[in-house]
Amino acid sequence: MDWKEVLRRRLAAPNSKKNEKELKEEEMDLFTKYYTEWKGGRKNANAFYKSIPRFYYRLPAEDEVLLQKLREESRAVFLQRKSRELLDNEELQNLWFLLDKHQTPPMIGEEAMINYENFLKVGEKSGPKCKQFFMAKVFAKLIHTDPYGRISIMQFFNYVMRKVWLHQTRIGLSLYDVAGQGYLRESDLENYILELIPTLPQLDGLEKSFYSFYVCTAVRKFFFFLDPLRTGKIKIQDILACSFLDDLLELRDEELSKESQETNWFSAPSALRVYGMLLNYATIFILEHYVCLHFCPPGQYLNLDKDHNGMLSKEELSRYGTATMTNVFLDRVFQECLTYDGEMDYKTYLDFVLALENRKEPAALQYIFKLLDIENRGYLNVFSLNYFFRAIQELMKIHGQDPVSFQDVKDEIFDMVKPKDPLKISLQDLISSNQGDTVTTILIDLNGFWTYENREALVANDNENTADLEDT
């Protein structure tokens, strides 16, 4: 309650018989009292605020070279200290020895188990670096259906290994964080991958002259999916959370299976496929144009570039894949994406490929949705759907197929997506429906639409072929 309220109540008292002068004097006394208390409180508050340690330091400006060097050096020392806190190979081996020594019978199959009591004993003997792993919450996370309340020694050790790997990788990435703000710019990630290549046995087939082109392709995947707003930087935390770095570091395995290599965006077979087939042409092309080679499975960039100018025109891009994408969709690609004199460079092409090959992913759907949203309203309506499907109908006529009614396709699309607004399909509706890849395919690609229309016949045919193979 403030002093004005106290005074009002006193003046409103029914038994008050004071004259006006006395009331004014009392008012001034009360005002002085409360003002003094308030001012004293402000002083105490200021003294309290000054006792809080400083926690914000501005970043040094570009011209403050000495401060920048000091900051870089302090970060390097900090990261080195953090690196020394991690378990090394010898300490990991010692931990495994202790776990194996304290396993708790009986064994279930070939899997060694350990109970909570022995778990704590190992924690006491394994040293201070391991203390963080031997906690009740870690044990509780790993306990499952064991009737004796134990956890798998192998699962726990893998958990420790994964934690150590994540910390090592974070420190390694942080060394390339020039800004020191917890994110990597495109050039930072390029430097990281470039220096990582010699440590990956699966990339031994790449010559050094092709390293920069490989890096171009590898970095693009990170930025397409982890930087959807195109800010030009990615949080290190996001890099660690996604599976891309796992795929890249999987190339350390000298015995990686052929199937794993074929499905890995970063693998050498894709690079060698382009390198081997187009060696002479590629060498001249690189020297003259300094354009990245496309090492991903489609391997089509140089094949599409018929005039060998290092860029793709709309006509050249139209031959991508099965060459059945509509001109209307390709027009939108060249309207919305970055081009140079109406032609597409390699990085823009990579975004295009990543979007079309990963249509189930939100980042890919966001890319395609922007192209389909011709009125830039943030949703697709009947007009938008009809605009793109008319091009599919025209291609069907050209190929001698009977055109399908747009009304039927429109109803199927809305039935699949089930948008919140029955007349509009938002990007979130498309993602939430898990049908975004199907919807976008039937609107932009004749081959994709034909496959969707004949899906039942194709499934039946596959079943027949499978049955025939089993009979033989």
Side-chain angles (χ1 to χ4, degrees):
M1 185 182 303
D2 61 18
W3 67 273
K4 291 182 180 180
E5 180 64 19
V6 173
L7 181 61
R8 186 186 65 78
R9 293 189 178 186
R10 289 195 178 186
L11 292 176
N15 57 353
S16 178
K17 297 180 180 179
K18 299 178 182 180
N19 59 35
E20 185 176 348
K21 183 179 180 180
E22 290 174 332
L23 290 174
K24 285 187 177 180
E25 288 176 353
E26 186 174 351
E27 178 182 347
M28 182 54 67
D29 290 340
L30 285 170
F31 172 78
T32 303
K33 174 185 175 184
Y34 287 116
Y35 178 75
T36 303
E37 291 178 358
W38 173 79
K39 191 173 182 181
R42 285 286 298 273
K43 288 182 178 179
N44 292 335
N46 289 335
F48 171 73
Y49 295 147
K50 288 179 181 178
S51 68
I52 299 176
R54 183 177 178 183
F55 57 88
Y56 170 75
Y57 295 86
R58 69 173 181 83
L59 294 175
E62 292 183 3
D63 57 345
E64 296 175 320
V65 180
L66 185 60
L67 288 178
Q68 286 185 344
K69 292 294 183 183
L70 178 61
R71 186 167 182 271
E72 290 175 8
E73 186 64 24
S74 63
R75 285 186 64 251
V77 172
F78 170 76
L79 293 173
Q80 288 173 6
R81 187 175 78 246
K82 286 295 182 182
S83 181
R84 288 194 295 270
E85 292 174 1
L86 300 177
L87 296 172
D88 57 28
N89 288 336
E90 184 177 342
E91 290 166 328
L92 285 169
Q93 288 177 3
N94 181 57
L95 175 60
W96 175 257
F97 172 77
L98 289 172
L99 288 168
D100 186 57
K101 184 178 179 181
H102 289 81
Q103 60 178 279
T104 308
M107 290 185 66
I108 298 178
E110 297 182 355
E111 190 160 15
M113 312 292 285
I114 187 170
N115 62 16
Y116 188 61
E117 182 181 356
N118 288 340
F119 178 79
L120 294 179
K121 288 180 181 178
V122 174
E124 292 173 359
K125 296 179 180 180
S126 57
K129 286 187 181 181
C130 294
K131 185 177 180 180
Q132 59 178 312
F133 303 116
F134 289 89
M135 302 175 69
K137 64 179 182 181
V138 174
F139 191 90
K141 283 180 182 178
L142 298 175
I143 194 168
H144 295 297
T145 58
D146 182 67
Y148 303 98
R150 303 168 302 173
I151 64 172
S152 164
I153 288 177
M154 181 59 73
Q155 285 185 4
F156 172 71
F157 190 73
N158 287 338
Y159 168 82
V160 174
M161 291 278 287
R162 178 68 179 174
K163 281 286 188 181
V164 172
W165 178 85
L166 283 173
H167 286 299
Q168 286 176 338
T169 307
R170 182 171 192 130
I171 292 171
L173 289 169
S174 297
L175 291 171
Y176 293 84
D177 177 11
V178 176
Q181 295 294 292
Y183 61 78
L184 297 183
R185 302 169 302 175
E186 192 165 346
S187 58
D188 299 332
L189 190 57
E190 286 174 352
N191 290 333
Y192 172 76
I193 294 179
L194 183 61
E195 295 186 19
L196 190 67
I197 290 176
T199 70
L200 306 176
Q202 290 295 335
L203 296 182
D204 288 345
L206 294 179
E207 292 189 4
K208 289 186 178 180
S209 59
F210 284 83
Y211 280 8
S212 59
F213 309 120
Y214 173 83
V215 169
C216 179
T217 303
V219 168
R220 202 70 220 137
K221 182 165 186 177
F222 282 93
F223 273 83
F224 180 81
F225 288 103
L226 303 182
D227 183 28
L229 299 180
R230 303 298 178 255
T231 62
K233 56 188 180 183
I234 307 174
K235 289 182 180 179
I236 292 176
Q237 185 177 350
D238 291 341
I239 296 176
L240 293 171
C242 76
S243 63
F244 303 155
L245 201 58
D246 287 335
D247 293 341
L248 180 61
L249 296 179
E250 186 181 43
L251 303 181
R252 288 175 172 171
D253 184 1
E254 297 183 7
E255 299 180 357
L256 191 65
S257 67
K258 184 178 179 181
E259 292 75 14
S260 297
Q261 293 180 48
E262 290 176 352
T263 58
N264 191 328
W265 172 272
F266 307 100
S267 68
S270 298
L272 294 174
R273 188 177 301 116
V274 177
Y275 177 80
M277 290 170 59
L278 301 168
L279 175 61
N280 296 330
Y281 167 65
T283 304
I284 299 172
F285 186 82
I286 291 163
L287 293 174
E288 293 183 351
H289 302 284
Y290 299 94
V291 175
C292 303
L293 290 178
H294 184 45
F295 290 153
C296 63
Q300 292 182 338
Y301 190 75
L302 294 179
N303 291 331
L304 293 174
D305 183 21
K306 294 300 181 182
D307 57 9
H308 302 173
N309 70 341
M311 311 282 276
L312 298 183
S313 65
K314 191 184 81 167
E315 193 276 328
E316 289 172 329
L317 185 64
S318 67
R319 294 193 294 274
Y320 173 82
T322 56
T324 53
M325 285 184 294
T326 66
N327 284 329
V328 170
F329 175 68
L330 292 173
D331 286 340
R332 288 292 295 154
V333 171
F334 280 81
Q335 287 169 8
E336 291 292 332
C337 299
L338 179 64
T339 57
Y340 302 89
D341 295 328
E343 294 198 315
M344 175 185 292
D345 73 344
Y346 178 63
K347 285 187 177 181
T348 304
Y349 171 76
L350 271 180
D351 285 346
F352 176 80
V353 172
L354 286 166
L356 293 186
E357 291 188 351
N358 299 275
R359 281 179 240 191
K360 290 183 179 293
E361 300 296 327
L365 288 176
Q366 180 181 358
Y367 176 98
I368 301 175
F369 185 88
K370 183 180 179 181
L371 303 177
L372 298 178
D373 183 13
I374 54 177
E375 298 176 292
N376 198 26
R377 293 185 177 183
Y379 61 81
L380 306 180
N381 53 21
V382 174
F383 175 80
S384 303
L385 301 180
N386 188 35
Y387 180 81
F388 285 96
F389 191 71
R390 278 187 303 176
I392 295 290
Q393 291 174 319
E394 291 172 4
L395 284 178
M396 293 181 74
K397 291 179 181 178
I398 292 173
H399 288 82
Q401 301 175 18
D402 295 330
V404 177
S405 166
F406 167 71
Q407 189 66 33
D408 294 339
V409 173
K410 182 260 295 180
D411 291 341
E412 283 191 52
I413 290 176
F414 275 90
D415 286 342
M416 282 191 287
V417 177
K418 296 180 176 58
K420 292 181 179 179
D421 188 323
L423 300 177
K424 302 174 183 177
I425 298 175
S426 68
L427 174 60
Q428 190 55 52
D429 291 330
L430 212 56
I431 295 172
S432 300
S433 69
N434 293 322
Q435 298 292 330
D437 58 324
T438 302
V439 172
T440 54
T441 297
I442 64 180
L443 289 174
I444 67 177
D445 186 356
L446 175 61
N447 185 60
F449 174 74
W450 185 88
T451 302
Y452 171 76
E453 276 291 287
N454 296 274
R455 58 193 181 281
E456 295 179 358
L458 292 173
V459 170
N461 187 49
D462 287 342
N463 291 337
E464 289 179 6
N465 292 336
T466 302
D468 292 340
L469 287 173
E470 289 177 351
D471 292 340
T472 57

